[in-house]
Coordinates of all heavy atoms in Angstrom, one line a residue:
A195 N 110.8 128.4 83.2 CA 111.6 127.2 83.7 C 112.0 127.5 85.2 O 112.4 128.6 85.5 CB 112.8 127.0 82.9
G196 N 111.7 126.5 86.0 CA 112.0 126.6 87.5 C 110.9 127.1 88.4 O 111.0 127.0 89.6
D197 N 109.8 127.6 87.8 CA 108.6 128.0 88.6 C 108.0 126.8 89.2 O 107.9 125.7 88.6 CB 107.6 128.7 87.7 CG 108.0 130.1 87.4 OD1 108.9 130.7 88.0 OD2 107.3 130.7 86.5
L198 N 107.6 127.0 90.5 CA 107.0 125.9 91.2 C 105.5 126.0 91.5 O 105.0 127.2 91.6 CB 107.7 125.8 92.6 CG 109.2 125.4 92.7 CD1 109.7 125.6 94.1 CD2 109.3 124.0 92.2
A199 N 104.8 124.9 91.6 CA 103.4 124.9 92.0 C 103.4 124.9 93.6 O 104.5 125.1 94.2 CB 102.7 123.7 91.5
G200 N 102.3 124.7 94.2 CA 102.2 124.6 95.6 C 102.6 123.3 96.2 O 102.2 122.2 95.6
T201 N 103.3 123.2 97.3 CA 103.6 122.0 97.9 C 102.4 121.5 98.8 O 101.8 122.3 99.5 CB 104.9 122.2 98.8 OG1 106.0 122.6 98.0 CG2 105.2 120.9 99.6
G202 N 102.2 120.2 98.8 CA 101.2 119.7 99.7 C 101.6 119.9 101.2 O 102.8 119.7 101.5
L203 N 100.6 120.2 102.0 CA 101.0 120.4 103.5 C 101.2 119.1 104.2 O 100.6 118.1 103.9 CB 99.8 121.1 104.2 CG 99.6 122.6 103.6 CD1 98.5 123.2 104.5 CD2 100.8 123.4 103.6
S204 N 102.2 119.1 105.1 CA 102.5 117.9 105.9 C 101.7 117.8 107.1 O 101.4 118.7 107.8 CB 104.0 118.0 106.2 OG 104.9 118.0 105.1
S205 N 101.3 116.5 107.4 CA 100.6 116.2 108.6 C 101.6 116.0 109.8 O 102.8 116.1 109.6 CB 99.7 115.0 108.5 OG 100.5 113.8 108.3
Y206 N 101.1 115.6 110.9 CA 101.9 115.2 112.0 C 102.7 113.9 111.8 O 103.6 113.6 112.5 CB 101.1 115.1 113.3 CG 100.4 116.3 113.7 CD1 99.0 116.5 113.5 CD2 101.1 117.4 114.3 CE1 98.3 117.6 113.9 CE2 100.4 118.5 114.7 CZ 99.0 118.6 114.5 OH 98.4 119.8 114.8
Y207 N 102.3 113.2 110.8 CA 102.8 111.8 110.6 C 103.7 111.7 109.4 O 104.8 111.0 109.4 CB 101.7 110.9 110.4 CG 100.7 111.0 111.5 CD1 99.5 111.7 111.3 CD2 100.9 110.4 112.7 CE1 98.5 111.8 112.4 CE2 99.9 110.5 113.8 CZ 98.8 111.2 113.6 OH 97.8 111.3 114.6
F208 N 103.3 112.3 108.2 CA 104.1 112.1 107.0 C 104.1 113.4 106.2 O 103.3 114.3 106.4 CB 103.3 111.0 106.1 CG 103.5 109.6 106.6 CD1 102.6 109.1 107.5 CD2 104.5 108.8 106.2 CE1 102.7 107.8 108.0 CE2 104.7 107.5 106.7 CZ 103.7 107.0 107.6
P209 N 105.1 113.5 105.3 CA 105.3 114.7 104.5 C 104.2 114.9 103.4 O 103.7 113.9 102.9 CB 106.6 114.6 103.9 CG 106.8 113.1 103.8 CD 106.1 112.5 105.0
G210 N 103.9 116.2 103.1 CA 103.1 116.5 101.9 C 103.9 116.2 100.6 O 105.1 116.1 100.6
G211 N 103.1 116.1 99.5 CA 103.8 115.9 98.2 C 104.6 117.1 97.7 O 104.2 118.2 97.9
A212 N 105.6 116.8 97.0 CA 106.5 117.8 96.5 C 105.7 118.6 95.4 O 104.9 118.0 94.6 CB 107.8 117.2 95.9
A213 N 106.0 119.9 95.2 CA 105.5 120.6 94.2 C 106.0 120.3 92.8 O 107.2 120.0 92.7 CB 105.7 122.1 94.4
G214 N 105.2 120.3 91.8 CA 105.7 120.2 90.4 C 106.5 121.4 90.0 O 106.3 122.5 90.6
V215 N 107.4 121.3 89.0 CA 108.2 122.4 88.6 C 108.1 122.5 87.1 O 107.9 121.5 86.3 CB 109.7 122.1 89.0 CG1 110.2 120.8 88.3 CG2 110.6 123.3 88.6
A216 N 108.1 123.8 86.6 CA 108.1 124.0 85.2 C 109.4 123.8 84.5 O 110.5 124.1 85.1 CB 107.7 125.5 84.9
A217 N 109.4 123.1 83.4 CA 110.6 122.7 82.7 C 110.5 123.2 81.2 O 109.4 123.5 80.8 CB 110.8 121.2 82.8
G218 N 111.6 123.1 80.6 CA 111.6 123.5 79.1 C 112.0 124.9 78.9 O 112.1 125.7 79.9
A219 N 112.3 125.3 77.7 CA 112.7 126.6 77.4 C 111.5 127.6 77.2 O 110.4 127.2 76.7 CB 113.5 126.6 76.1
G220 N 111.7 128.8 77.6 CA 110.6 129.8 77.4 C 109.4 129.6 78.3 O 109.5 128.9 79.3
N221 N 108.3 130.1 77.9 CA 107.1 130.0 78.6 C 106.5 128.5 78.5 O 106.7 127.9 77.4 CB 106.0 130.9 78.2 CG 106.4 132.4 78.6 OD1 107.2 132.6 79.5 ND2 105.7 133.3 78.0
T222 N 105.9 128.0 79.5 CA 105.3 126.7 79.4 C 104.1 126.6 80.2 O 103.7 127.6 80.9 CB 106.4 125.7 79.9 OG1 105.9 124.4 79.7 CG2 106.7 125.9 81.4
G223 N 103.4 125.5 80.2 CA 102.2 125.3 81.0 C 102.6 125.3 82.5 O 103.7 125.2 82.9
G224 N 101.6 125.3 83.4 CA 101.8 125.3 84.8 C 101.9 123.9 85.3 O 101.2 123.0 85.0
P225 N 102.9 123.7 86.3 CA 103.0 122.4 86.9 C 101.9 122.2 88.0 O 101.2 123.1 88.3 CB 104.4 122.4 87.6 CG 104.6 123.9 87.8 CD 103.9 124.6 86.7
G226 N 101.8 120.9 88.5 CA 100.7 120.6 89.4 C 101.1 120.7 90.8 O 102.3 120.6 91.2
G227 N 100.2 120.9 91.7 CA 100.4 121.0 93.1 C 100.6 119.6 93.8 O 100.0 118.6 93.3
G228 N 101.4 119.5 94.8 CA 101.6 118.3 95.6 C 100.3 117.9 96.4 O 99.5 118.7 96.8
G229 N 100.2 116.6 96.7 CA 99.1 116.1 97.5 C 99.3 116.4 99.0 O 100.4 116.3 99.5
G230 N 98.2 116.7 99.7 CA 98.3 116.8 101.2 C 98.5 115.4 101.8 O 98.1 114.4 101.3
S231 N 99.1 115.4 103.0 CA 99.4 114.1 103.6 C 98.4 113.8 104.7 O 97.5 114.7 105.1 CB 100.8 114.1 104.2 OG 100.9 115.0 105.3
S232 N 98.4 112.6 105.3 CA 97.5 112.1 106.3 C 98.3 111.1 107.1 O 99.4 111.4 107.6 CB 96.3 111.5 105.7 OG 95.4 111.0 106.6
Y233 N 97.8 109.9 107.2 CA 98.6 108.8 107.8 C 99.4 108.1 106.7 O 99.6 106.9 106.6 CB 97.7 107.8 108.5 CG 98.5 107.1 109.7 CD1 98.8 107.8 110.9 CD2 98.8 105.8 109.6 CE1 99.4 107.2 111.9 CE2 99.5 105.2 110.7 CZ 99.8 105.9 111.8 OH 100.4 105.3 112.9
G234 N 99.9 108.9 105.8 CA 100.7 108.5 104.6 C 101.1 109.7 103.8 O 100.4 110.8 104.0
A235 N 102.1 109.7 103.0 CA 102.6 110.8 102.3 C 101.7 111.2 101.1 O 101.0 110.3 100.5 CB 104.0 110.5 101.8
G236 N 101.7 112.5 100.8 CA 101.0 113.0 99.6 C 101.8 112.7 98.3 O 103.0 112.6 98.4
G237 N 101.1 112.5 97.2 CA 101.8 112.3 95.9 C 102.5 113.6 95.4 O 102.0 114.7 95.7
A238 N 103.5 113.4 94.6 CA 104.2 114.6 94.0 C 103.4 115.2 92.9 O 102.8 114.5 92.1 CB 105.6 114.2 93.6
G239 N 103.5 116.5 92.8 CA 102.9 117.2 91.6 C 103.7 116.9 90.4 O 104.9 116.8 90.4
A240 N 103.0 116.9 89.3 CA 103.6 116.7 88.0 C 104.3 117.9 87.4 O 103.8 119.0 87.6 CB 102.6 116.2 86.9
N241 N 105.4 117.7 86.8 CA 106.1 118.8 86.1 C 105.4 119.2 84.8 O 104.6 118.4 84.3 CB 107.5 118.4 85.8 CG 108.4 118.1 87.0 OD1 108.1 118.6 88.1 ND2 109.4 117.3 86.9
S242 N 105.6 120.4 84.4 CA 105.1 120.8 83.1 C 106.2 120.9 82.1 O 107.4 121.0 82.5 CB 104.4 122.2 83.2 OG 105.3 123.2 83.7
G243 N 105.9 120.9 80.8 CA 106.9 121.0 79.8 C 106.3 121.0 78.4 O 105.2 121.5 78.3
D244 N 107.0 120.5 77.4 CA 106.5 120.7 76.1 C 105.9 119.4 75.5 O 105.7 119.3 74.3 CB 107.7 121.1 75.2 CG 108.3 122.5 75.6 OD1 107.5 123.3 76.0 OD2 109.5 122.7 75.5
G245 N 105.5 118.5 76.3 CA 104.9 117.3 75.8 C 105.4 116.0 76.5 O 106.4 116.1 77.1
G246 N 104.7 114.9 76.3 CA 105.1 113.7 76.9 C 105.1 113.8 78.4 O 106.0 113.2 79.1
L247 N 104.1 114.4 79.0 CA 104.1 114.7 80.4 C 103.6 113.5 81.2 O 102.6 112.8 80.9 CB 103.1 115.9 80.7 CG 103.5 117.2 80.0 CD1 102.4 118.2 80.2 CD2 104.9 117.7 80.4
A248 N 104.3 113.3 82.3 CA 103.9 112.2 83.2 C 102.7 112.7 84.1 O 102.5 113.9 84.3 CB 105.1 111.8 84.1
A249 N 101.9 111.7 84.6 CA 100.8 112.1 85.4 C 101.3 112.4 86.8 O 102.5 112.1 87.2 CB 99.8 110.9 85.6
G250 N 100.5 113.1 87.6 CA 100.8 113.4 89.0 C 101.0 112.1 89.8 O 100.5 111.0 89.4
G251 N 101.8 112.1 90.8 CA 102.1 110.9 91.6 C 100.9 110.6 92.5 O 100.1 111.4 92.9
D252 N 100.7 109.3 92.8 CA 99.7 108.8 93.7 C 100.0 109.0 95.1 O 101.2 108.9 95.5 CB 99.3 107.3 93.4 CG 98.8 107.1 92.0 OD1 98.3 108.0 91.4 OD2 98.9 105.9 91.6
G253 N 99.1 109.2 96.0 CA 99.3 109.2 97.4 C 99.5 107.8 97.9 O 99.2 106.8 97.2
T254 N 100.2 107.6 99.1 CA 100.4 106.3 99.6 C 99.1 105.8 100.2 O 98.1 106.5 100.4 CB 101.5 106.3 100.6 OG1 101.1 107.0 101.8 CG2 102.8 107.0 100.1
N255 N 99.1 104.5 100.7 CA 97.9 104.0 101.3 C 97.6 104.6 102.7 O 96.7 104.2 103.3 CB 98.1 102.4 101.5 CG 97.8 101.7 100.2 OD1 97.3 102.3 99.2 ND2 98.1 100.4 100.1
G256 N 98.4 105.6 103.1 CA 98.0 106.3 104.3 C 97.0 107.4 104.1 O 96.8 108.2 105.0
G257 N 96.5 107.5 102.9 CA 95.4 108.5 102.7 C 95.9 109.8 102.2 O 95.2 110.8 102.2
G258 N 97.2 110.0 101.8 CA 97.7 111.2 101.2 C 97.0 111.5 99.8 O 96.7 110.6 99.1
G259 N 96.8 112.8 99.5 CA 96.2 113.1 98.2 C 97.2 112.9 97.1 O 98.4 113.0 97.2
G260 N 96.6 112.7 95.9 CA 97.5 112.5 94.7 C 98.1 113.8 94.2 O 97.6 114.9 94.5
G261 N 99.2 113.7 93.5 CA 99.8 114.9 92.9 C 99.0 115.5 91.8 O 98.4 114.8 91.1
G262 N 99.1 116.8 91.6 CA 98.4 117.5 90.5 C 99.1 117.3 89.2 O 100.2 116.8 89.1
A263 N 98.4 117.6 88.1 CA 98.9 117.3 86.8 C 99.4 118.6 86.2 O 98.9 119.7 86.4 CB 97.8 116.8 85.9
G264 N 100.6 118.5 85.5 CA 101.1 119.7 84.7 C 100.6 119.7 83.3 O 100.1 118.7 82.8
S265 N 100.7 120.8 82.6 CA 100.4 120.8 81.2 C 101.4 121.6 80.4 O 101.8 122.7 80.8 CB 99.0 121.4 81.0 OG 98.9 122.7 81.6
G266 N 101.8 121.1 79.3 CA 102.8 121.8 78.5 C 102.3 122.7 77.5 O 101.1 122.8 77.3
A267 N 103.2 123.4 76.8 CA 102.8 124.3 75.7 C 102.1 123.6 74.6 O 102.8 123.0 73.8 CB 104.1 125.1 75.3

Side-chain angles (χ1 to χ4, degrees):
D197 285 346
L198 294 171
T201 300
L203 297 184
S204 298
S205 70
Y206 299 103
Y207 309 98
F208 288 89
V215 60
N221 292 342
T222 186
S231 67
S232 175
Y233 209 72
N241 297 336
S242 61
D244 296 328
L247 303 175
D252 295 338
T254 69
N255 278 350
S265 56

